[in-house]
Amino acid sequence: PDSRLLEVMRHSATTLSMAWLHDRALTLVMLGLFMVSLFGQVLTGWHEHNNDLLDHGHAAIALSGYFATGHLWEAIFENWESEFLQMGAFVVLTAFLVQKGSPESRRPRVAEPFDADPRRFRDHPGAPWPVRRGGWVLRLYEQSLGLAFLLLFLMCWIGHALGGFAEFRSEALAHRQASPAFTDYLSSSRFWFESFQNWQSEFLAIGAMVWLSVYLRQRGSPESKAVHASHADHD
């Protein structure tokens, strides 16, 4: 009896573990792909940076030393910054703007379920704590997703600026130029070129997704309309 009970318990634990993984698979796979890609960026960036150093007559650096350079952090934060800007803009703008027929948009002139006043659901079972709390906490929570992306964007923008300045200064010193000030980098065309080249691509990608999803389909994806839906439908 004891062995059978242990077997049942092990089976239940395995089932719960598989269910937990299944219910979070999208996030876990994305995080896995992120880690693999970040590892690849670090390794290839390290080799690329050493190639630049050797081309200029300097000694190559160890991988641990690469983490202290602006070359790595400028590239990382520059890309993260544009991604968070993209998602933040998308979240906020879709609260006000529409694209008829796109599943990524609210429907024109239609009151959607997510427009409901959360104060009506204060006593609803499972309502998040800010909804039950009300007041300024709820007002903040109502805008929390957009604010979170804005905060992440600003943090990455600062990281981009600091990492980019470290690389900017390192290059100036390597060419025996005067050490630039931080404001020199922020006001340079280089900094804004680095920013705009990523920002424009993110806005293009979002715009393409919004528009193409009106006419094209991906069966099984919640980002797509049903294959049989008309172009004017939103779901």
Side-chain angles (χ1 to χ4, degrees):
D2 291 342
S3 62
R4 181 171 178 78
L5 178 60
L6 289 173
E7 182 181 348
V8 171
M9 292 176 63
R10 282 196 295 266
H11 178 72
S12 297
T14 301
T15 301
L16 289 174
S17 297
M18 294 302 296
W20 189 92
L21 291 172
H22 177 272
D23 293 346
R24 295 160 179 81
L26 182 57
T27 296
L28 293 173
V29 168
M30 287 298 175
L31 287 176
L33 292 171
F34 162 72
M35 294 303 297
V36 170
S37 300
L38 182 60
F39 180 71
Q41 179 182 359
V42 171
L43 284 183
T44 54
W46 172 46
H47 285 290
E48 178 65 20
H49 187 59
N50 276 337
N51 288 336
D52 289 340
L53 290 175
L54 294 173
D55 288 342
H56 289 85
H58 300 287
I61 60 175
L63 179 60
S64 58
Y66 181 57
F67 284 93
T69 68
H71 185 272
L72 172 64
W73 300 110
E74 183 277 325
I76 287 177
F77 284 118
E78 178 188 332
N79 284 280
W80 289 2
E81 160 198 319
S82 62
E83 300 298 335
F84 289 129
L85 174 64
Q86 174 204 64
M87 297 309 301
F90 188 51
V91 166
V92 173
L93 291 177
T94 50
F96 306 99
L97 305 178
V98 300
Q99 170 59 58
K100 183 177 179 180
S102 175
E104 306 297 332
S105 166
R106 62 188 303 128
R107 291 172 294 177
R109 296 172 295 280
V110 174
E112 302 284 5
F114 44 75
D115 291 323
D117 188 344
R119 291 154 189 82
R120 294 168 42 199
F121 300 89
R122 182 174 183 175
D123 300 321
H124 193 276
W129 175 78
V131 176
R132 291 183 277 111
R133 172 66 171 78
W136 69 269
V137 175
L138 177 55
R139 289 195 296 273
L140 181 63
Y141 187 65
E142 289 177 311
Q143 313 297 330
S144 58
L145 184 57
L147 290 173
F149 279 122
L150 174 61
L151 179 60
L152 289 168
F153 164 73
L154 291 175
M155 291 171 59
C156 293
W157 187 88
I158 293 171
H160 169 200
L162 293 175
F165 172 64
E167 183 67 9
F168 187 66
R169 182 175 180 274
S170 177
E171 291 178 3
L173 295 177
H175 289 86
R176 295 180 173 81
Q177 299 173 351
S179 178
F182 183 56
T183 52
D184 293 332
Y185 176 62
L186 287 184
S187 61
S188 69
S189 58
R190 170 171 169 168
F191 174 71
W192 293 104
F193 173 71
E194 292 168 349
S195 298
F196 285 124
Q197 70 172 332
N198 283 283
W199 296 0
Q200 55 86 14
S201 65
E202 302 302 337
F203 292 133
L204 175 63
I206 285 291
M209 182 174 69
V210 169
W211 185 73
L212 289 175
S213 63
V214 176
Y215 305 101
L216 305 180
R217 310 287 188 266
Q218 183 62 52
R219 186 176 179 182
S221 173
E223 300 304 314
S224 168
K225 295 186 288 190
V227 178
H228 61 271
S230 74
H231 295 332
D233 289 341
H234 277 249
D235 51 30

